[in-house]
Amino acid sequence: MTAITWELFNHQVAECRRCGLCGGIHHKVPGQGDPHAPLMLIGEGPGQVEDEQGLAFVGPAGQLLTRMLAAISLPRDRVYICNVVKCRPPNNRVPTAEEAAACMMHLRMQVSLVRPKVIVLLGSTAAKNTLGDTLRITRDRGQWFERNGVWMMPTYHPSALLRDPSKKREAWEDMQTLRDKLMELQLYPDLYGVSNDHA
Ligand code: URA
């Protein structure tokens, strides 16, 4: 059996022709961040800026995501960020079920390599492709789902918050829920450590 390594993952994504999306892109966007982060965030697919730079969540939605993480004192370089599909769908359309399924082997390999304890699913595409088609983002956001010892929480995609700022209040609640889980599991003790104050 071939060992799963980052080298193999990078090669696999670079060579991938499993669906038609790679025909119209500038760069593949595998994902980036701390390769052993306790927290992974999964979005839908690269947008225009991501396609130009080959990096996930670096456009307007990514900048909002960075601010949301900062609001719970989490620097972006302490998490791992990627998408369901690694190639930009034309005009930012939602990836088809076939495209998402074709790309799932890459996401599975990333999860095996990072081994996160907590995964945040950003938007409906990430939530449905991970937790199943019956997932409804408006109904199920902010809830925890445990799968094989990994805690998963769907929340709104930052692009949805940019389109409809009235959703920001619920998204903020979800970020608090996330911070509580990270604290409970003691995943970032240097950021959320128990107080040493015995006075
Ligand atoms: N939207 C996504 O889902 N992912 C990105 O990387 C950028 C925008």
Side-chain angles (χ1 to χ4, degrees), residues 29 43-47 50 55-59 61-62 81-83 122 157 159:
V29 179
E44 179 175 295
E50 290 76 17
L55 293 168
F57 280 102
V58 287
I81 303 184
C82 60
N83 286 297
L122 299 166
H157 192 288
S159 298

Side-chain angles (χ1 to χ4, degrees), residues 150-169:
V150 180
W151 291 97
M152 304 194 180
M153 183 185 73
T155 188
Y156 291 127
H157 192 288
S159 298
L161 306 179
L162 291 173
R163 282 194 301 271
D164 178 4
S166 74
K167 290 191 165 83
K168 281 189 179 176
R169 192 184 52 80

Side-chain angles (χ1 to χ4, degrees), residues 6 10 26 38 50 77 105-106 120 125 133 140 159 169 194:
W6 282 109
N10 289 331
H26 294 101
E50 290 76 17
D77 61 3
M105 61 178 290
H106 303 311
V120 171
T125 300
D133 229 20
D140 299 324
S159 298
R169 192 184 52 80
V194 187

